[in-house]
Amino acid sequence: MIFKEKTKSIPITKVMVWDSYKKVKKNKGSAGVDQQSLDDFDKVRSKELYKLWNRLSSGSYFPCNVKRVEISKGDGRTRPLGIPTVSDRIAQQVVKTYIEPRLEAIFMENSFGYRPNKSAHAAIRRVLKNVRKYSWVIDMDIQGFFDNVDHDLLFKALELHVSEKWVLLYIRRWLEATIELEDGTLLKSEGKGTPQGGVISPLLANLYLHYCVDKWIKIHYPHVVMVRYADDFIIHCHSEREALEVLTSVKSRLLECGLKAHPEKTKMVYCKKSGRAQNGHPVQFDFLGFSFRPIIFRLRKGGHFLQYDCIMSRKSKKRILKDLRDLNFHNRSQVGLQEIAILLNPKIRGWINYYGKINRRSLKPIFYYLHHRIIKWILNKYKRFKGSKVKAVQWLRRITCDYPNLFYHWELGYKLT
């Protein structure tokens, strides 16, 4: 081991700190208020880990201020993200690893966000299965959830499952840590909120919503089905009357827990498909980057039928197209096509791994636009085409045949059409 063992009053071992460091390093992340990046931390790793273990295991650990940055949401608005220092992220990971198994034991199957062996894809598939069985959906969005978690209610839930005073002490210190804005302004805790970006925040959020929503719905509305991913949740109901009753009750329940349903984003949706004829209600909702809506499918023997399905959301598509425009690679005529592929393949792989696992057809417009940008690059780089788009397209088609593995999506059959 990289530092010597000592006996301390709090049962935090060096192995726990070391394992937590490896997890934090794997998840990457930027520097906190001390401007110490993971690379900087690694240069003095042995010293920093020993110091952190010594403080954690003796009860003398206090977190630094939490750096707050504003992250674009893609619609012109921003959301606050709290970035603890590297040492604080490791400390949070130690406590998270320590208490997570006992909290996982009480969490319900319908909770998918930031949990071991759970995923966004599993949540999406569950919703897709449910909308074909249930006619009505409540698309629920909590306004400013991470900023409004009530500390007293959170600790009331924590104390049901965590008896160690040192764990509760450190969690309280993290929740009450001073927020430091980009201009240097300091904000004190007001008894609510957990920084969105902290390592332990998702676990605390799941515990809070377990008692606020999950367990409450199971007790009061056992006939409805809910799928929750962090603070985004979908409630499936059999009828409009049932959906209206549940929506009203859940809004009241959120208020009791110090939370509020977003007045614009929360809505009732009718899952229209063949055999369901009701009209006059919204028929589409978005969840985890996908739009769930009625889609017309062709039958092999002729004819059509209406199915309630999901495709990549318009918001996701716009964000990806903006990323491609911002790269401006079509004007980089000084590099070759191989360099363009090296630049784009990690992004392409990410799109396919996320959206393609649910609905590959959704990606066709993305790759159509991508090929259009590559053709622009060809016209800018090779003067012999003299602005002839037809010749550029013919040349690119030959490249797709001669080098089918150059771009990741070409390997999977997304060729130039």
Side-chain angles (χ1 to χ4, degrees):
M1 185 49 68
I2 59 174
F3 39 78
K4 296 180 180 179
E5 188 72 49
K6 287 185 180 179
T7 302
K8 294 287 185 177
S9 58
I10 293 176
I12 294 178
T13 67
K14 298 178 181 68
V15 173
M16 292 165 65
V17 175
W18 175 248
D19 289 342
S20 296
Y21 157 76
K22 290 189 289 185
K23 290 179 181 178
V24 168
K25 185 171 177 63
K26 182 179 179 181
N27 292 331
K28 301 180 180 180
S30 57
V33 294
D34 60 356
Q35 302 300 315
Q36 186 184 50
S37 66
L38 278 164
D39 290 338
D40 295 332
F41 187 92
D42 280 341
K43 295 175 183 177
V44 288
R45 183 179 65 192
S46 181
K47 176 183 175 182
E48 291 289 347
L49 290 180
Y50 179 84
K51 181 171 65 175
L52 180 62
W53 166 77
N54 192 35
R55 292 177 177 176
L56 282 171
S57 58
S58 63
S60 60
Y61 163 79
F62 285 86
C64 297
N65 295 347
V66 176
K67 178 182 177 182
R68 174 173 287 183
V69 297
E70 297 294 328
I71 305 298
S72 174
K73 296 178 69 173
D75 56 2
R77 295 179 297 175
T78 60
R79 63 179 174 88
L81 184 68
I83 305 176
T85 63
V86 174
S87 291
D88 289 338
R89 297 206 294 272
I90 296 170
Q92 289 187 25
Q93 184 64 57
V94 169
V95 174
K96 179 190 175 188
T97 303
Y98 186 79
I99 66 172
E100 189 172 43
R102 67 183 84 171
L103 297 184
E104 274 294 316
I106 66 158
F107 290 160
M108 294 185 176
E109 186 186 355
N110 62 357
S111 171
F112 290 86
Y114 308 107
R115 294 183 58 192
N117 304 316
K118 298 278 189 175
S119 68
H121 288 126
I124 293 163
R125 291 190 181 100
R126 182 69 61 84
V127 170
L128 187 57
K129 178 182 178 181
N130 291 340
V131 294
R132 292 173 180 172
K133 181 179 179 182
Y134 296 84
S135 302
W136 290 87
V137 153
I138 298 171
D139 179 14
M140 181 70 72
D141 187 281
I142 300 177
Q143 191 169 25
F145 169 72
F146 283 91
D147 294 330
N148 291 290
V149 171
D150 186 283
H151 291 178
D152 290 339
L153 292 177
L154 176 59
F155 275 93
K156 186 177 179 180
L158 272 169
E159 288 166 359
L160 292 174
H161 309 284
V162 179
S163 59
E164 295 89 341
K165 292 183 179 180
W166 63 270
V167 173
L168 299 174
L169 173 68
Y170 287 153
I171 291 177
R172 188 172 293 280
R173 286 177 182 174
W174 288 319
L175 293 176
E176 295 178 352
T178 300
I179 303 294
E180 186 169 323
L181 305 185
E182 294 178 84
D183 62 1
T185 303
L186 301 180
L187 300 177
K188 297 291 184 180
S189 170
E190 297 180 351
K192 63 180 182 178
T194 176
Q196 189 173 2
V199 172
I200 203 168
S201 291
L203 180 61
L204 299 180
N206 275 331
L207 176 64
Y208 196 86
L209 288 173
H210 169 77
Y211 284 104
C212 176
V213 180
D214 299 2
K215 191 172 182 179
W216 184 86
I217 285 183
K218 185 71 174 177
I219 293 171
H220 293 86
Y221 295 98
H223 300 298
V224 306
V225 175
M226 186 180 74
V227 175
R228 182 173 65 79
Y229 191 92
D231 59 327
D232 294 330
F233 51 97
I234 305 297
I235 303 173
H236 302 270
C237 303
H238 290 95
S239 67
E240 180 182 9
R241 181 178 178 179
E242 183 181 55
L244 186 59
E245 179 186 346
V246 172
L247 176 58
T248 303
S249 297
V250 172
K251 284 182 176 180
S252 298
R253 173 61 178 175
L254 290 177
L255 290 174
E256 292 174 3
C257 299
L259 304 174
K260 182 181 178 182
H262 198 292
E264 298 175 1
K265 296 182 179 179
T266 299
K267 60 181 182 292
M268 285 171 46
V269 177
Y270 180 63
C271 303
K272 185 177 181 180
K273 68 173 187 176
S274 294
R276 296 178 184 169
Q278 188 160 345
N279 293 308
H281 294 273
V283 295
Q284 176 177 321
F285 66 93
D286 288 356
F287 182 62
L288 299 179
F290 286 85
S291 286
F292 290 76
R293 62 181 180 85
I295 298 176
I296 296 176
F297 288 87
R298 292 182 180 179
L299 296 171
R300 291 183 178 180
K301 297 181 179 180
H304 302 80
F305 76 100
L306 191 66
Q307 179 62 283
Y308 206 83
D309 211 312
C310 71
I311 59 173
M312 180 194 298
S313 70
R314 184 177 180 184
K315 183 178 178 181
S316 298
K317 193 177 299 181
K318 287 175 66 176
R319 177 179 53 79
I320 292 175
L321 296 182
K322 183 180 183 300
D323 286 346
L324 286 174
R325 286 194 298 272
D326 290 345
L327 287 173
N328 199 35
F329 68 85
H330 66 283
N331 286 325
R332 299 176 62 178
S333 56
Q334 72 278 12
V335 302
L337 190 59
Q338 187 173 7
E339 285 78 10
I340 299 295
I342 291 172
L343 172 69
L344 293 176
N345 275 337
K347 292 181 177 292
I348 295 171
R349 187 174 286 108
W351 302 334
I352 292 174
N353 287 344
Y354 187 74
Y355 297 102
K357 281 187 177 180
I358 301 296
N359 190 328
R360 281 197 175 185
R361 292 170 300 175
S362 301
L363 290 165
K364 286 186 177 181
I366 301 296
F367 295 132
Y368 177 85
Y369 181 80
L370 173 59
H371 291 150
H372 175 71
R373 305 293 280 193
I374 294 175
I375 290 167
K376 276 191 173 184
W377 173 83
I378 294 170
L379 293 172
N380 288 334
K381 183 173 180 67
Y382 299 108
K383 304 302 179 185
R384 67 179 182 270
F385 293 127
K386 295 181 180 179
S388 173
K389 186 176 179 180
V390 173
K391 292 181 180 179
V393 169
Q394 291 173 345
W395 184 82
L396 184 59
R397 282 205 177 102
R398 289 197 298 272
I399 293 296
T400 62
C401 294
D402 295 341
Y403 304 95
N405 299 325
L406 182 60
F407 286 91
Y408 181 70
H409 63 295
W410 289 359
E411 298 179 40
L412 304 179
Y414 293 98
K415 297 295 178 65
L416 183 65
T417 56

